[in-house]
Amino acid sequence: MQHIPSQCPICSGEVTMGKTTFSLDLQTGVVIVRNVPALICEQCGEEWIEDSTAAHLEKITDKARSEKLQLEMVSMS
Ligand SMILES: [Zn+2]
């Protein structure tokens, strides 16, 4: 279980639940996932993604890689 901070360990800013965009270049193609739930520091913008969300992103990435998709763009909301 990943530790999710309630306060930013970098700048001590406040961390709130928000949405971010995940993108990854696989060489064979690019994966873009919008509306990814994440904890975001309001002060410095550092982001933390929960384990269950990270696992979901990995599935999307694996699918794009195995199907050699040039562009995979999905929304998690
Ligand atoms: Zn911060």
Side-chain angles (χ1 to χ4, degrees):
M1 194 66 188
Q2 190 187 349
H3 177 67
I4 307 281
S6 59
Q7 198 182 41
C8 180
I10 299 159
C11 72
S12 299
E14 198 175 332
V15 175
T16 55
M17 202 68 199
K19 298 276 176 70
T20 187
T21 299
F22 167 88
S23 65
L24 186 68
D25 190 342
L26 298 172
Q27 311 301 329
T28 52
V30 178
V31 177
I32 298 165
V33 186
R34 299 179 62 226
N35 299 311
V36 177
L39 287 144
I40 302 163
C41 172
E42 289 186 340
Q43 204 156 289
C44 72
E46 184 70 21
E47 295 169 352
W48 295 266
I49 292 173
E50 290 176 286
D51 282 350
S52 57
T53 306
H56 193 151
L57 289 173
E58 209 172 294
K59 268 184 202 164
I60 295 167
T61 303
D62 285 349
K63 176 176 169 284
R65 188 183 280 123
S66 64
E67 293 177 9
K68 293 190 168 59
L69 298 173
Q70 286 204 349
L71 177 64
E72 172 78 328
M73 190 156 79
V74 293
S75 173
M76 266 178 86
S77 70

